[in-house]
């Protein structure tokens, strides 16, 4: 039996007991997922997820060691840089970690990424297409996996088809309407999963309910809610929606497979409400990475809600600068323009916001609202 725990970023960490049968199931599912993405070519895995008692890092190491060369570095830029230098470019690398850490890695590691064949696998939080494009300057491809320490890692995964489908969804409102997707104020990530392993439903609040269908789990999960917002569409529904807009699955990618699609809008608590507009963290990330002057100097951000002395609600977009970077000038208007482009709520509400709101602030690494951050844990994007 193995006991691991959640990161505790939303409160008290939870402990989870996993028996040998379910660990073997997790191992097989992870092997299958990696094989679909990378094929039969041997690869070298660098596990940059947090190690120790946390679920994702330890389960990944235990599961992948059977089929790959493995080095578990944790989220340590220097160790990964040294590993790449020591073992050289003759390997095909799969580097796994949280999206913000991989951005830190490519921004700060003294590595000639063009000399290496590196694929990135990310998890733990959502990722915008703008961040994917940023990471692809260094990585051959970037794939995301959906899971949760409360449930299992790698419940659903991206592939070339789901990535192309998501990009099309960003361009075509008629496709969203044809699929009858709910309006949560942000663009969803798109995954596929095996319905024989997982039953995924949506409750009345728009949150996902996940049931693990296998009978040999030590702690059964039945209609378990982790407060992620999303929905599921069967593949025949997706095909009909694509037909309605004149697109076929094969025209998006030859990597399509007849499995249901999971549309994941993020955490239900990863949104701030300001002047009647719901502003999801995902839209802020997309906007940040659409403004080069910001994306190249910023390591992270957080949304800070407060009230001033006159009880007026305020919103601060706080940015943590990369080491040695100076605060960029003239980025507020381009950033707000991108938010208005991405988020209809924000576009309408911005007409009534005070001219000085929201406020932007820039902080040196590890200072201000970013003081005391533990790189082994997930980032907190909303604060007060």
């Amino acid at each position: 039996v193995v006991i691991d725990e959640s990161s505790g970023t939303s409160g008290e960490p939870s402990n989870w007991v996993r028996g040998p049968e379910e660990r073997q199931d997790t191992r097989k599912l992870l092997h299958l997922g990696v094989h679909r993405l990378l094929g039969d070519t041997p690869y070298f895995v660098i596990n940059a997820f947090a190690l120790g008692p946390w679920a994702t890092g330890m389960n990944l190491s235990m599961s992948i060691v059977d089929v790959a060369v493995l080095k578990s570095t944790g989220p340590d830029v220097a160790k990964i840089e040294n590993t790449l230098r020591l073992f050289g470019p003759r390997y095909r690398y799969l580097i796994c970690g949280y999206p913000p850490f991989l951005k830190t890695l490519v921004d700060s590691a003294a590595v000639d990424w063009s000399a290496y064949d590196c694929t990135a696998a990310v998890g733990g939080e959502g990722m915008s297409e703008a961040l994917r494009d940023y990471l692809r300057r260094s990585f051959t491809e970037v794939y995301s996996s959906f899971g949760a320490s409360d449930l299992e890692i790698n419940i659903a995964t991206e592939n070339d088809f789901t990535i192309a489908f998501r990009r099309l969804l960003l361009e075509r409102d008629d496709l969203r309407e044809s699929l009858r997707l709910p309006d949560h104020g942000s663009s969803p990530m798109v995954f596929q999963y095996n319905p024989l392993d997982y039953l995924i439903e949506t409750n009345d609040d728009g949150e996902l309910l996940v049931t693990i269908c296998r009978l040999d789990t030590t702690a059964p999960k039945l209609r378990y809610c982790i407060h992620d917002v999303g929905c599921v569409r069967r593949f025949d529904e997706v095909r009909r929606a694509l037909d309605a807009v004149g697109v076929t699955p094969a025209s998006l990618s030859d990597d399509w497979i007849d499995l249901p699609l999971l549309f994941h809008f993020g955490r239900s608590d990863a949104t701030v409400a300001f002047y009647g507009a719901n502003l999801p963290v995902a839209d802020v990330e997309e906007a940040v990475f659409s403004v080069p002057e910001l994306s190249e100097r910023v390591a992270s951000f957080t949304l800070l809600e407060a009230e001033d002395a006159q009880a007026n609600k305020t919103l601060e977009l706080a940015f943590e600068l990369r080491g040695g970077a100076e605060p960029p000038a003239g980025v507020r208007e381009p950033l707000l323009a991108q938010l208005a482009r991405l988020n209809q709520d924000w576009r309408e509400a911005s007409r009534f916001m005070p001219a000085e709101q929201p406020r932007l602030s820039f902080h040196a690494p590890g200072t201000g609202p970013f003081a005391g951050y533990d790189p082994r844990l997930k980032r907190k994007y909303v604060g007060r």
Side-chain angles (χ1 to χ4, degrees):
V1 168
V2 172
I3 299 175
D4 51 41
E5 70 179 23
S6 65
S7 62
T9 52
S10 59
E12 187 73 18
S14 300
N15 280 258
W16 299 104
V17 180
R18 307 184 197 278
E21 294 87 358
E22 62 192 287
R23 295 203 312 275
Q24 180 63 23
D25 289 340
T26 298
R27 182 181 296 113
K28 289 179 181 178
L29 290 170
L30 189 64
H31 293 178
L32 175 64
V34 173
H35 177 76
R36 283 203 70 241
L37 294 179
L38 301 183
D40 295 322
T41 306
Y43 50 94
F44 187 130
V45 174
I46 297 177
N47 180 5
F49 283 112
L51 303 174
W54 294 287
T56 303
M58 294 306 297
N59 281 304
L60 175 63
S61 288
M62 288 189 294
S63 298
I64 207 70
V65 68
D66 298 336
V67 293
V69 177
L70 169 70
K71 185 171 182 181
S72 298
T73 63
D76 189 312
V77 171
K79 289 185 185 300
I80 296 171
E81 183 180 325
N82 291 337
T83 298
L84 293 172
R85 183 181 302 111
L86 177 64
F87 290 94
R90 66 190 181 97
Y91 287 96
R92 185 184 188 190
Y93 291 92
L94 176 65
I95 303 180
C96 308
Y98 299 126
F101 173 75
L102 293 189
K103 181 185 184 298
T104 299
L105 175 67
V106 301
D107 283 343
S108 58
V111 173
D112 178 8
W113 294 100
S114 64
Y116 290 84
D117 181 358
C118 294
T119 296
V122 303
E125 60 184 67
M127 177 179 62
S128 67
E129 289 305 304
L131 177 54
R132 192 196 309 273
D133 288 341
Y134 188 94
L135 294 175
R136 286 185 64 182
R137 300 179 192 178
S138 304
F139 294 108
T140 305
E141 189 50 87
V142 181
Y143 297 105
S144 186
S145 170
F146 167 73
S149 56
D150 296 26
L151 295 164
E152 285 184 341
I153 63 171
N154 207 47
I155 291 173
T157 59
E158 289 184 321
N159 52 52
D160 291 339
F161 169 74
T162 64
I163 293 171
F165 185 92
R166 186 191 189 198
R167 290 178 180 264
L168 182 65
L169 197 63
L170 291 170
E171 300 171 359
R172 300 287 299 265
D173 290 339
D174 52 349
L175 179 58
R176 176 190 284 265
E177 293 168 1
S178 183
L179 280 169
R180 297 172 288 105
L181 294 181
D183 183 9
H184 291 297
S186 63
S187 299
M189 296 197 70
V190 183
F191 304 95
Q192 287 190 290
Y193 69 97
N194 185 352
L196 296 180
D197 283 299
Y198 308 101
L199 172 65
I200 303 180
E201 306 167 272
T202 302
N203 66 17
D204 292 340
D205 294 325
E207 298 172 324
L208 296 173
L209 304 176
V210 180
T211 298
I212 299 177
C213 300
R214 300 185 301 277
L215 301 181
D216 50 10
T217 56
T218 302
K221 310 297 192 305
L222 305 175
R223 308 194 80 216
Y224 194 92
C225 181
I226 58 173
H227 301 293
D228 282 5
V229 177
C231 62
V232 166
R233 295 290 182 266
R234 294 170 59 95
F235 196 83
D236 57 353
E237 297 177 85
V238 172
R239 193 199 302 270
R240 288 196 296 270
L242 287 172
D243 286 343
V245 299
V247 179
T248 65
S251 68
L252 293 177
S253 170
D254 56 9
D255 187 34
W256 67 274
I257 186 171
D258 187 2
L259 289 174
L261 272 66
L262 169 63
F263 296 88
H264 183 265
F265 292 85
R267 298 281 304 195
S268 58
D269 57 0
T271 298
V272 298
F274 191 65
Y275 277 80
N278 291 320
L279 182 62
V281 166
D283 282 357
V284 178
E285 180 182 276
E286 181 82 26
V288 168
F289 283 93
S290 299
V291 180
E293 296 85 355
L294 269 177
S295 63
E296 292 168 2
R297 300 192 192 195
V298 165
S300 184
F301 66 88
T302 189
L303 310 181
L304 302 175
E305 298 179 280
E307 286 187 357
D308 62 19
Q310 288 73 44
N312 297 310
K313 191 171 183 180
T314 64
L315 177 63
E316 178 181 342
L317 308 185
F319 298 96
E320 181 183 29
L321 294 168
R322 290 172 50 189
E326 294 293 328
V331 295
R332 185 175 184 271
E333 293 308 317
L335 177 64
L336 296 184
Q338 290 294 335
L339 287 177
R341 177 183 65 85
L342 293 164
N343 188 303
Q344 182 177 352
D345 274 2
W346 184 268
R347 185 165 60 249
E348 296 302 318
S350 62
R351 302 177 185 178
F352 311 103
M353 293 178 192
E356 69 277 7
Q357 290 292 331
R359 187 170 68 89
L360 273 58
S361 65
F362 295 92
H363 305 266
T367 65
F370 307 98
Y373 167 66
D374 186 340
R376 297 172 299 173
L377 304 181
K378 290 185 237 182
R379 291 276 187 181
K380 293 187 72 171
Y381 292 100
V382 177
R384 288 172 176 81

